[in-house]
Amino acid sequence: DTSQQVPGGASHGAMLDLGRTTSNDEAPLVTACEANQALYSSFILDPMHFYIYGASVNYSLSPAMHNAAYRICGMPHDYKTYQATSLKGLYDLVSDPNFGGAAITQPYKIEVIALTHSLSRHAKAIGAVNTLIPIRNLPPNGGIPDDLSFLQERNHAGPVKALYGDNTDWIGIRVCLRRGLSPVNAVRNSSSGLVIGAGGMARAAVYAMIQMGVKNIFICNRTLENAERLAAHYNRLDTSSFTPQGPAATVRVIRSYTDAWPEEHRLPTMVVCCIPANSIDGQPAANFVLPTKWLKSPTGGVVIEAPYKPLVTPLVTQIRAEAHRGWIAIDGLELLPEQGFAQFELFTGRRAPRRLMRKEVLRNYRNEKGQRDVDMLQSRIDRLEDQT
Ligand SMILES: NC(=O)c1ccc[n+]([C@@H]2O[C@H](COP(=O)([O-])OP(=O)(O)OC[C@H]3O[C@@H](n4cnc5c(N)ncnc54)[C@H](OP(=O)(O)O)[C@@H]3O)[C@@H](O)[C@H]2O)c1
């Protein structure tokens, strides 16, 4: 349906005003989707191949989400999974003149930095890349253009000369934190945020909080040294250049879930849980819940659970039971499309059809047993009307 309306501003089926009208003045001649299709069928733009690259991507919802978006925008691109045990496979992808870009997932988000020639300031600060963009034209001096002019080459095939790395994970986390924070918990210098985990997603969660102006950020993780390394990474950075105003953020480690919340700081009103919720390699699932003593913020707060298999984790259940005290749980299925929008826009240069992408994620979701809870998913699809 080329005239489908897309919320959040742009309408991909919106009629273009080309100064021409038919006999009916209300009916323009061409939709944005048709205009796009014309650019590709006349070879002005090229069909591109995109991938999600990682060690465990076969169940990924990203291909469904991105392919549906290409279709509604009239782009002949495709987006596939690439399951890999090392980064070597990337060389094959990049050698294809129609390589458009790749989403990078576990466990390669840090390792892939060595293959990039240039990083966005966000990826540099986070120390992890989840989006790779090909660079096809280098200036005569061979350097990487720092004005991002290479982004003009999107949707044009040709030999890839270099790779640019960006990170969109933090954008999705920031959107969800803002969505769940009630006005009474608006970020102040005294606000505290808590991140569970110390892997790639936890890095992005800390950065999202810094970007929101949170000054007191705490990390708790199974392996203490990893939490300390992550805290040291951010404490070494000049975070004042990323934060809206006021003092720089400080990232501290809480050593154990049995510890009391540091009494000189307010209880957290923002929590992002970045540890897997499923069983991995035969190990029991983490079954993580927050210590109840850390959930005593008098104004409640927001908790994001990053994993989405299973969807209703012990943490989500715990936070839903605290709804009467102002706590809001946001699950991984709500988070997933939010970072996908930024990725779509980086890959194609077009505004992402947000509602459609959210809907595709919900339409294609299956639980760990491959089953679909039709009623629950449909009621979530129906509620999408409310989101921007
Ligand atoms: N919804 C979304 O859009 C989205 C996006 C990205 C990621 N995610 C999900 O977020 C989770 C984390 O991803 P990531 O990229 O950060 O992974 P990662 O880099 O592999 O980090 C995993 C973290 O989880 C901890 N951990 C692993 N198993 C644990 C267990 N059984 N008990 C306690 N802690 C455990 C690890 O602790 P150690 O340091 O002790 O090893 C590490 O801190 C994954 O489930 C992923 O699917 C969701």
Side-chain angles (χ1 to χ4, degrees), residues 115-365:
L115 304 186
T116 61
H117 304 80
S118 173
L119 292 178
S120 74
R121 70 187 192 103
H122 308 300
K124 237 182 249 170
I126 294 169
V129 159
N130 82 331
T131 309
L132 269 189
I133 310 278
I135 302 178
R136 294 194 154 84
N137 287 307
L138 296 177
N141 68 8
I144 304 295
D146 28 325
D147 57 357
L148 300 188
S149 54
F150 59 86
L151 291 178
Q152 305 298 328
E153 308 159 2
R154 287 173 295 195
N155 310 307
H156 289 284
V160 176
K161 306 273 180 45
L163 289 171
Y164 173 74
D166 205 341
N167 191 307
T168 62
D169 283 333
W170 73 276
I171 298 176
I173 296 169
R174 187 179 62 174
V175 166
C176 289
L177 282 174
R178 282 184 175 156
R179 189 179 294 157
L181 262 192
S182 60
V184 69
N185 285 326
V187 174
R188 308 177 178 83
N189 281 354
S190 58
S191 305
S192 300
L194 169 66
V195 174
I196 306 297
M201 199 57 174
R203 279 172 179 259
V206 172
Y207 187 70
M209 289 183 185
I210 291 172
Q211 283 275 354
M212 289 172 70
V214 184
K215 310 297 181 199
N216 310 294
I217 302 172
F218 295 84
I219 305 174
C220 195
N221 184 50
R222 177 178 64 180
T223 308
L224 181 62
E225 304 83 76
N226 293 343
E228 284 172 341
R229 200 171 307 125
L230 178 50
H233 165 85
Y234 278 108
N235 290 331
R236 267 195 309 269
L237 276 184
D238 176 14
T239 55
S240 59
S241 58
F242 303 114
T243 204
Q245 52 195 203
T250 306
V251 183
R252 299 176 177 88
V253 172
I254 300 188
R255 299 175 69 88
S256 157
Y257 295 108
T258 58
D259 287 3
W261 189 259
E263 60 183 30
E264 63 280 25
H265 292 285
R266 289 181 62 175
L267 285 152
T269 47
M270 285 153 276
V271 181
V272 187
C273 179
C274 305
I275 64 177
N278 56 331
S279 150
I280 296 175
D281 298 334
Q283 298 296 311
N287 283 327
F288 177 77
V289 289
L290 281 162
T292 48
K293 56 183 184 281
W294 296 358
L295 274 182
K296 297 276 188 233
S297 148
T299 49
V302 53
V303 174
I304 299 178
E305 173 76 305
Y308 50 80
K309 292 221 171 171
L311 196 51
V312 184
T313 62
L315 178 61
V316 167
T317 305
Q318 179 193 27
I319 299 307
R320 284 182 184 163
E322 297 293 328
H324 63 287
R325 297 202 306 108
W327 283 96
I328 289 180
I330 293 186
D331 65 37
L333 211 48
E334 189 168 336
L335 172 63
L336 175 70
E338 300 300 333
Q339 62 77 32
F341 305 152
Q343 220 159 34
F344 178 92
E345 289 169 8
L346 277 169
F347 284 157
T348 66
R350 299 297 163 119
R351 182 171 165 84
R354 284 160 165 69
R355 187 182 58 168
L356 173 86
M357 291 172 77
R358 289 187 181 115
K359 189 171 164 186
E360 284 304 306
V361 162
L362 293 168
R363 262 177 16 93
N364 288 277
Y365 180 75

Side-chain angles (χ1 to χ4, degrees), residues 65-81:
M65 176 170 78
H66 285 263
N67 284 322
Y70 301 147
R71 281 196 301 277
I72 205 172
C73 294
M75 297 170 172
H77 305 329
D78 57 44
Y79 188 112
K80 297 179 182 154
T81 56

